[in-house]
Amino acid sequence: MEPVRMLNLQRQYASLRDQIGVAMESVLQNQHFILGPEVAALEKEMAEYCNVGYAVGVASGTDALLLSLKAAGVGPGDEVIVPAFTFVATSDTVGLLGATPVFADIDPITYTMNPEQLESLVTPATKAVVAVHLYGQAADITAISAFATKHGLALLGDTAQALGARYEGDPVCSFGDYGCISFFPSKNLGAYGDGGMIVTGDAEKAQYLRMARAHGSAKKYRSEFLGWNSRLDELQAALLRVKLPHLDTWNAKRADRAARYSEGLVDVEEIVLPQAAPGRTHVFHQYTIRVQQRDAVQQFLKEQGIESAVHYPIPLHRQPMYAELGYEEGSLPEAERAAREVLSLPIYPELRDDEVDRVVNALKQAVSTLKPEATPVVAELV
């Protein structure tokens, strides 16, 4: 039987083949490959999509975080509060600037940063807070923004997995001082290689970022500060401009696939289904369940030809590179429990009904097969 894949980009490409070919050919004919008209046009379109004033294309989502943290003034001796349960780039970029990540536990329902913990984490060294909009929906922006404002902290939104999601009706990427976007191929809006973008409503911040991505230079051969070589190239921008008009439709199809999963699994008590918090839309970059005996369930699915993934098996505060920070097992229990239990199922706009149903049926069989036998009830003598 044909495998059920986590992601099948061939299906998406088949629907856009001709448009992509025209866009690529235009760039090749033009022979302008770095910071040309396609990047400028995409930046304008992304700023409009995110309902902000400015967008700056960079080489990756990781660089979007790195340059934004640098623009926020983060450097040696500073601290940045980040969630403990996300991809390592969120904290890695803090360390690359000489600062220290301070890890917050997560809300067990949304998997995003628990704002109730933040007051206990702030110190005189705290410079910024990074809200990661994990799996496809926003963190608690109202509470986190209020915290950042109270303490005069820069607020970064890591929107790598939630482009197109909304919070109280507004685009998730519009919140904070900087919105950091990834165009990694597997993202809801993916390039055919690495790529990223930073959106902001501040003209001065945008100008700094444009210089930071080009060796600190606004004018060729004149560098005003230490910067990077981090530029979104024309071929990727041209491709993304073909895809961007389809993003909302694709996200709606992801939500439809998610609804079919949830309908099929709603009565399976061993499985905790993903939930969209009130006032937030979910674009389901991942459809992630929680299940006991997660590794055994994943192996069962694999044997049935069904791919799945664990996002993420090690919480950030327990990564080997942070051992010196002294976080003990049990220090951030919700992040640690999620790392033991989460399992992401195949989801993408072109996923067929029969494939969803096959995953649902396999999951039901898995939890039934792996369920511990009930302890026999022994009647007591009266």
Side-chain angles (χ1 to χ4, degrees):
M1 189 177 295
E2 179 186 1
V4 181
R5 298 170 55 184
M6 277 294 293
L7 177 65
N8 189 331
L9 290 174
Q10 288 94 335
R11 293 181 186 177
Q12 185 187 86
Y13 175 65
S15 69
L16 299 173
R17 185 193 309 268
D18 292 342
Q19 292 173 265
I20 290 172
V22 170
M24 297 295 100
E25 180 63 22
S26 176
V27 174
L28 295 174
Q29 289 288 347
N30 188 28
Q31 289 289 297
H32 193 155
F33 297 114
I34 302 295
L35 296 184
E38 294 292 341
V39 170
L42 179 66
E43 289 174 337
K44 181 176 184 296
E45 291 161 5
M46 283 295 296
E48 292 173 354
Y49 184 82
C50 294
N51 194 28
V52 297
Y54 309 93
V56 180
V58 293
S60 68
T62 299
D63 277 5
L65 289 164
L66 183 67
L67 272 65
S68 295
L69 288 166
K70 179 67 174 177
V74 172
D78 292 330
E79 295 176 352
V80 178
I81 300 173
V82 302
F85 188 66
T86 183
F87 184 58
V88 71
T90 307
S91 58
D92 195 18
T93 50
V94 174
L96 288 172
L97 293 173
T100 301
V102 176
F103 297 107
D105 211 351
I106 59 168
D107 175 87
I109 304 300
T110 65
Y111 305 102
T112 59
M113 178 185 285
N114 184 349
E116 295 179 0
Q117 285 202 347
L118 298 181
E119 286 291 343
S120 67
L121 301 177
V122 70
T123 74
T126 307
K127 191 77 170 184
V129 57
V130 183
V132 179
H133 309 304
L134 199 69
Y135 294 157
Q137 70 170 321
D140 188 344
I141 293 172
T142 298
I144 297 171
S145 294
F147 166 78
T149 299
K150 175 182 176 181
H151 294 282
L153 307 177
L155 174 59
L156 280 69
D158 183 339
T159 318
Q161 298 185 8
L163 186 61
R166 290 182 172 267
Y167 182 92
E168 301 292 350
D170 292 319
V172 171
C173 50
S174 68
F175 292 93
D177 298 289
Y178 307 91
C180 302
I181 297 166
S182 170
F183 297 129
F184 188 77
S186 64
K187 296 297 189 283
N188 291 30
L189 180 65
Y192 287 170
D194 274 316
M197 190 162 284
I198 308 162
V199 297
T200 180
D202 187 290
E204 291 186 6
K205 290 181 173 66
Q207 178 59 16
Y208 179 92
L209 292 166
R210 293 189 196 100
M211 296 172 66
R213 72 180 176 186
H215 302 287
S217 176
K219 182 179 180 181
K220 193 171 184 179
Y221 301 132
R222 177 185 172 88
S223 294
E224 299 183 25
F225 58 85
L226 290 172
W228 289 264
N229 174 14
S230 179
R231 300 170 295 199
L232 181 64
D233 70 65
E234 285 285 285
L235 285 167
Q236 301 297 351
L239 165 70
L240 291 164
R241 292 188 66 208
V242 171
K243 289 188 171 189
L244 179 58
H246 300 276
L247 178 58
D248 288 342
T249 298
W250 289 338
N251 283 342
K253 289 181 178 179
R254 284 175 176 268
D256 178 76
R257 304 295 77 203
R260 191 175 184 92
Y261 271 130
S262 294
E263 181 180 354
L265 296 169
V266 67
D267 294 326
V268 183
E269 63 181 14
E270 295 88 355
I271 295 175
V272 178
L273 303 178
Q275 300 180 40
R280 311 181 212 180
T281 62
H282 201 315
V283 295
F284 290 99
H285 174 64
Q286 301 295 342
Y287 184 91
T288 302
I289 63 172
R290 301 178 80 127
V291 62
Q292 298 290 328
Q293 303 183 70
R294 187 267 316 284
D295 295 342
V297 170
Q298 185 177 36
Q299 179 61 31
F300 186 96
L301 294 180
K302 182 179 179 181
E303 291 169 358
Q304 302 300 312
I306 296 169
E307 294 181 357
S308 60
V310 177
H311 303 108
Y312 299 91
I314 305 174
L316 295 185
H317 67 290
R318 298 294 293 164
Q319 290 284 350
M321 68 179 178
Y322 295 128
E324 64 182 20
L325 297 182
Y327 289 90
E328 299 290 340
E329 183 74 25
S331 58
L332 297 174
E334 293 298 344
E336 293 167 23
R337 185 162 71 94
R340 293 191 299 269
E341 297 179 354
V342 295
L343 185 65
S344 297
L345 306 180
I347 192 161
Y348 52 94
E350 301 83 12
L351 188 68
R352 302 190 307 264
D353 285 356
D354 65 289
E355 292 172 317
V356 174
D357 295 343
R358 183 175 156 197
V359 177
V360 167
N361 292 332
L363 274 171
K364 289 179 176 179
Q365 186 179 356
V367 297
S368 175
T369 301
L370 298 168
K371 184 188 300 185
E373 294 184 7
T375 303
V377 177
V378 179
E380 295 183 1
L381 293 176
V382 178

